[in-house]
Amino acid sequence: MRSNSAVAVQVDEAAVESLLAACDENAVVLVRFLYCDTGGLIRGKSVSRQALRSALRSGVGLTVAMAAMNPFDQLQVVDGMGPVGEVRLWPDLSTFHVLPYAPHQAALFCDLYDLNGQPWEACARNFLRRAIARGEAAGWRFEAAFENEFTLAVTDTSGSFHPFDETVCFSSIAMQAVGNLPVALLQALEAQGVSMQQYYPELSAGQHEISVRHAPVLQAADNQLRARETIRAIAQQAGFHASLAPKPFANLAGNGAHVHISGWSLDAPGQNRFYDVADRFGLSQEAYHFIGGILAHLPAVVALTCPTVNSYLRLAPQTWASAYRCFGPDNREAAVRIASGFWGDPQGSANVEIKTVDNSCNPYLALGAILTAGLDGIKKGIEPGDPLSVDPATLSEAERQQRRIDPLPRSLDEALAALAGDALLREAMGPMLFSAFEAVKRSESAFFVDVDHDDTRAYFSLF
Ligand code: GLU
Ligand code: MG
């Protein structure tokens, strides 16, 4: 192990000073150093104002074993992640935000660095950074946004969760029943630099949704951590329990975290390269190739975007969550939807929506996988086939086969097998991140082997 003095990490002294000043201006006494782990949980350690200058210059220690911890705090056996060894939570100072829901506290999002001051191979945020760099090398800058569906629940005297209301989709009664919650969410997100675009009650009892404005992909993943933290905290302060689990109640609609993605020119920042005015759906050839790459790798991608046992209860036909590998214009049963553009801004709003994403994902892994697959499609010119304008579940088996519309993996194990067989994604992850992810996720599957498969409520309070 090398001593810190031998390590050449770059410390931006001016940024450290201005961060410390921002703490003092906002009476911050405790700062959370957060990261999203292999299992998709947001974890971290908090540093006092007094110890902050030192922590900003040397990071915060974390045992390597945490990368092999599953969401139920069961440690898995993974090479290089045993009881010996440390990494550092290395804060990205540009992510500093005062927490509007936690007085006198702020947060930073961290990369994981090894003791030589290099990005650690198992760091999910670095996996996304590498995918971004590959995009930039090809002249691309991607923007993304997540749509967050969540369930508001209350507990009964036995401690069981129930949806808080029985209202219907987009119901104005539900808008009123949630009281100040949407305004509190909007204000809390805006205070953290995240622009909430819409709020509405969703299809299921207790289900609600917020969407946020798109941002460059690393920031979009950071924003997703902010959104998850904020939804839970603000709901709790309003007397609700918010769950972002993919399928909080087996008999009700699931919670998606659909990703909208667009590809822009690195050199001409205002140019959305996914747009083509001449195309019937307003998409460029490169955007179709991006979709082709997503579809080609989709069974493996879903291992990273729908990564819990609970996820596969959500991916059912005719629930608007998507269950088939296909794409189509405004088709809510297709895994990839070509989203119709905004009147007045067709160029700026051209994007594709990936529906096979939920909030049990690590957003750095999810966006990294989406970029890796999409860029492969662009590089190889992969054609996505014909767009589908009907619900794939209404086609006969023979028609689906003829159009090469396969069902998505039906379980976490099936998705993990697809990931193991996908050389591109495995290589992009690297052996250490891949082994940790596989071990953690296989252990989750094993955790539910002896219980009724529908009963994955253990995830309810975790996401
Ligand atoms: N709740 C659906 C899902 O699980 C999505 C509904 C919608 O189209 O917004 O993905
Ligand atoms: Mg929705």
Side-chain angles (χ1 to χ4, degrees):
M1 188 188 300
R2 291 167 62 177
S3 75
N4 256 11
S5 60
V7 174
V9 282
Q10 297 281 329
V11 178
D12 181 342
E13 300 293 351
V16 167
E17 291 312 318
S18 76
L19 192 155
L20 293 171
C23 285
D24 296 341
E25 271 159 35
N26 291 283
V28 167
V29 297
L30 206 55
V31 179
R32 299 177 186 176
F33 283 49
L34 300 175
Y35 71 106
C36 193
D37 79 355
T38 316
L41 299 191
I42 303 167
R43 305 197 196 227
K45 296 184 179 182
S46 296
V47 176
S48 73
R49 169 65 184 84
Q50 212 200 5
L52 190 57
R53 184 187 296 277
S54 154
L56 294 176
R57 305 187 85 251
S58 53
V60 169
L62 185 76
T63 165
V64 289
M66 284 309 292
M69 194 70 94
N70 80 9
F72 311 111
D73 263 1
Q74 297 168 322
L75 188 56
Q76 302 308 304
V77 179
V78 180
D79 252 11
M81 294 171 190
V84 180
E86 281 235 335
V87 289
R88 293 286 180 261
L89 292 169
W90 183 244
D92 179 338
L93 304 192
S94 71
T95 66
F96 177 78
H97 52 290
V98 175
L99 297 176
Y101 47 80
H104 304 295
Q105 295 194 55
L108 285 160
F109 299 131
C110 300
D111 293 277
L112 301 178
Y113 271 39
D114 67 21
L115 293 186
N116 294 317
Q118 298 300 315
W120 192 37
E121 279 173 62
C123 173
R125 202 162 182 265
N126 191 257
F127 167 65
L128 178 55
R129 284 182 187 278
R130 294 196 304 271
I132 291 168
R134 285 196 300 280
E136 287 179 353
W140 289 91
R141 186 178 63 79
F142 290 94
E143 298 239 342
F146 288 81
E147 287 178 358
N148 288 299
E149 293 177 337
F150 56 95
T151 302
L152 293 177
V154 287
T155 44
D156 63 19
T157 45
S158 70
S160 300
F161 291 112
H162 300 277
F164 124 85
D165 66 0
E166 293 292 336
T167 55
V168 293
C169 195
F170 308 144
S171 155
S172 65
I173 297 172
M175 288 182 186
Q176 190 59 24
V178 290
N180 191 47
L181 185 93
V183 170
L185 270 175
L186 182 149
Q187 288 173 337
L189 287 167
E190 286 195 347
Q192 299 167 79
V194 182
S195 168
M196 190 174 116
Q197 302 285 285
Q198 293 190 3
Y199 153 77
Y200 41 87
E202 254 285 356
L203 186 63
S204 267
Q207 195 180 37
H208 297 260
E209 173 165 341
I210 57 164
S211 54
V212 303
R213 186 166 171 74
H214 57 93
V217 281
L218 186 64
Q219 198 185 327
D222 291 337
N223 283 348
Q224 187 56 6
L225 299 196
R226 290 185 177 96
R228 280 170 55 178
E229 296 286 90
T230 305
I231 289 167
R232 268 192 300 261
I234 297 293
Q236 187 194 30
Q237 288 171 359
F240 302 115
H241 178 97
S243 177
L244 293 105
K247 194 80 165 177
F249 299 104
N251 56 337
L252 297 177
N255 289 326
H258 308 164
V259 164
H260 289 260
I261 191 154
S262 50
W264 301 71
S265 166
L266 192 61
D267 304 324
Q271 192 197 332
N272 184 349
R273 285 171 67 178
F274 273 17
Y275 178 63
D276 184 348
V277 65
D279 178 65
R280 60 185 159 154
F281 304 124
L283 283 195
S284 67
Q285 191 57 57
E286 287 172 312
Y288 283 108
H289 291 160
F290 187 91
I291 294 173
I294 297 287
L295 294 178
H297 294 281
L298 195 59
V301 169
V302 292
L304 294 154
T305 56
C306 300
T308 55
V309 178
N310 195 243
S311 298
Y312 293 84
L313 299 184
R314 170 180 166 256
L315 292 179
Q318 303 193 317
T319 58
W320 293 357
S322 85
Y324 292 97
R325 176 158 41 169
C326 56
F327 80 107
D330 283 336
N331 187 338
R332 282 180 167 71
E333 289 294 338
V336 179
R337 165 184 162 232
I338 303 173
S340 45
F342 293 177
W343 292 344
D345 189 17
Q347 210 258 125
S349 59
N351 75 89
V352 297
E353 179 187 43
I354 296 144
K355 294 183 74 89
T356 53
V357 188
D358 68 55
N359 254 319
S360 63
C361 76
N362 175 321
Y364 304 105
L365 296 182
L367 287 177
I370 288 168
L371 281 196
T372 302
L375 280 167
D376 190 51
I378 291 174
K379 187 170 138 198
K380 295 182 181 150
I382 300 175
E383 294 296 342
D386 293 328
L388 186 71
S389 289
V390 296
D391 175 355
T394 62
L395 300 175
S396 69
E397 192 66 50
E399 279 172 304
R400 278 197 297 269
Q401 269 176 19
Q402 191 236 328
R403 291 177 180 228
R404 291 188 294 154
I405 298 172
D406 321 317
L408 293 171
R410 292 192 178 88
S411 67
L412 179 57
D413 279 331
E414 256 184 65
L416 289 171
L419 180 63
D422 190 302
L424 177 88
L425 277 161
R426 273 186 78 150
E427 197 183 313
M429 291 176 86
M432 200 177 204
L433 180 58
F434 173 78
S435 322
F437 185 79
E438 190 178 47
V440 162
K441 293 297 162 184
R442 288 276 181 205
S443 76
E444 287 180 48
S445 225
F447 187 83
F448 290 104
V449 148
D450 293 328
V451 298
D452 171 359
H453 192 76
D454 280 3
D455 194 1
T456 55
R457 278 175 299 182
Y459 287 112
F460 196 96
S461 304
L462 290 175
F463 292 103

